[in-house]
Amino acid sequence: MRKKTRPELPDDENPEWTQEDFAKARPASEVLPQIFGAEVAKKMLRPRGRPRAEFPKERINIRLSHTVIAHFKSAGEGWQTRIDAALREFIAEHPPGR
């Protein structure tokens, strides 16, 4: 059985911040190098996830025939990526002005 929380009771281990607390606060980039050293702080502050693409893909709406969608979906996940690859191949084979 879960313990019922009582939000009206103060939390001595994690008190609510005051305006003074906010005024004293410093960004992690200032504090971590002093606590852990520059090298460890650099690793801790490194952004997570995939790096931003120089030219990110755009979200658009496109209407395709059922046959086209069924063909690409039949190979499983990644069907939108395969459509993108097929269109890129078409562009490479058919440069503008031809």
Side-chain angles (χ1 to χ4, degrees):
M1 183 178 226
R2 284 191 149 175
K3 183 179 177 181
K4 291 184 180 180
T5 59
R6 300 198 44 205
E8 70 277 1
L9 295 177
D11 184 354
D12 294 335
E13 293 180 14
N14 190 19
E16 191 171 326
W17 275 37
T18 63
Q19 289 296 327
E20 187 178 323
D21 292 325
F22 281 105
K24 289 180 185 177
R26 295 290 165 253
S29 59
E30 285 181 22
V31 179
L32 290 177
Q34 297 169 3
I35 298 172
F36 297 105
E39 195 64 32
V40 173
K42 183 178 178 183
K43 288 180 184 177
M44 291 173 76
L45 293 170
R46 185 177 65 226
R48 295 181 185 175
R50 179 185 292 182
R52 291 213 175 254
E54 184 179 352
F55 300 104
K57 292 183 178 178
E58 294 183 38
R59 180 175 295 275
I60 64 163
N61 289 329
I62 185 171
R63 296 172 60 91
L64 300 171
S65 70
H66 173 75
T67 307
V68 170
I69 292 175
H71 172 79
F72 283 95
K73 279 188 170 182
S74 68
E77 290 186 23
W79 63 273
Q80 291 173 326
T81 302
R82 287 191 296 279
I83 290 175
D84 184 66
L87 291 172
R88 286 173 181 263
E89 185 177 319
F90 179 87
I91 290 170
E93 293 172 0
H94 301 84
R98 256 179 75 182

